[in-house]
Amino acid sequence: MKLTALNRSTLVVGATLALIGLVLVFVLSCLWGIRSGFVAEIERLEPQIARLQGIALSEEQLTVANQMLGATLEELAYLPDGETAMVAAAMQQTIRQVVSEAGFTVAGSQILPAAREGDLQLLRLDLTVSGNVDALDASLVRLRDLRPMVIIESAELKPARVRRKIGRAADQEDVRQITGRFKLLSLRIIE
């Protein structure tokens, strides 16, 4: 069988149309793949966008909460102002004054090395005092109310030896005298 010019042109046109059809199918499948990628990316981003929209809607509430947190943090911890040694010395002076006003006699105090705990620095103080039980009660109440907050890490209390004075009756002595050693700490925000 001979190919005639008509058959040959029909074959060329058919082959060209088939090739154009294949290219069109390839281009459409590529575009479908790109579209699927965009759809997957949109689905991945939708929860993040929703969270950001929620944050934007509650911006005022978050600002108020942040201010309240800042005020609370200032009550609980020393701010990152100044050197650690300076802040620890101020803490030591304040605590000595508070327990003295409560009735204790401060026998000694020593600033211990500061330790780091996450974003906070632990300012530590070793305090030795003597006095009676009433001074202990008053000191504990005042330390509880002190701001920035003071935490009692440990306490050793023991009865104090009382020297009898000549001519003083045993019933006139305060048998509630104690000596105490406290390890106290306060928090300091690290920048």
Side-chain angles (χ1 to χ4, degrees), residues 60-85:
E60 186 177 318
Q61 292 173 333
L62 291 172
T63 302
V64 169
N66 188 33
Q67 290 170 347
M68 289 174 51
L69 176 64
T72 302
L73 199 53
E74 286 179 17
E75 284 187 20
L76 299 178
Y78 286 95
L79 298 177
D81 312 343
E83 295 293 319
T84 300

Side-chain angles (χ1 to χ4, degrees), residues 92 96 99 105-111 125-130 180-182:
Q92 177 186 31
R96 285 179 68 111
V99 297
T105 302
V106 178
S109 64
Q110 178 183 5
I111 298 172
L125 178 69
D126 189 358
L127 181 71
T128 304
V129 295
S130 61
R181 182 172 182 191
F182 296 91

Side-chain angles (χ1 to χ4, degrees), residues 8 21-22 28-30 53 62 69 80 87 109 123 129 157 172:
R8 189 178 287 171
L22 285 174
L28 288 175
S29 69
C30 287
Q53 288 173 335
L62 291 172
L69 176 64
V87 175
S109 64
L123 304 175
V129 295
L157 301 171
Q172 292 178 337

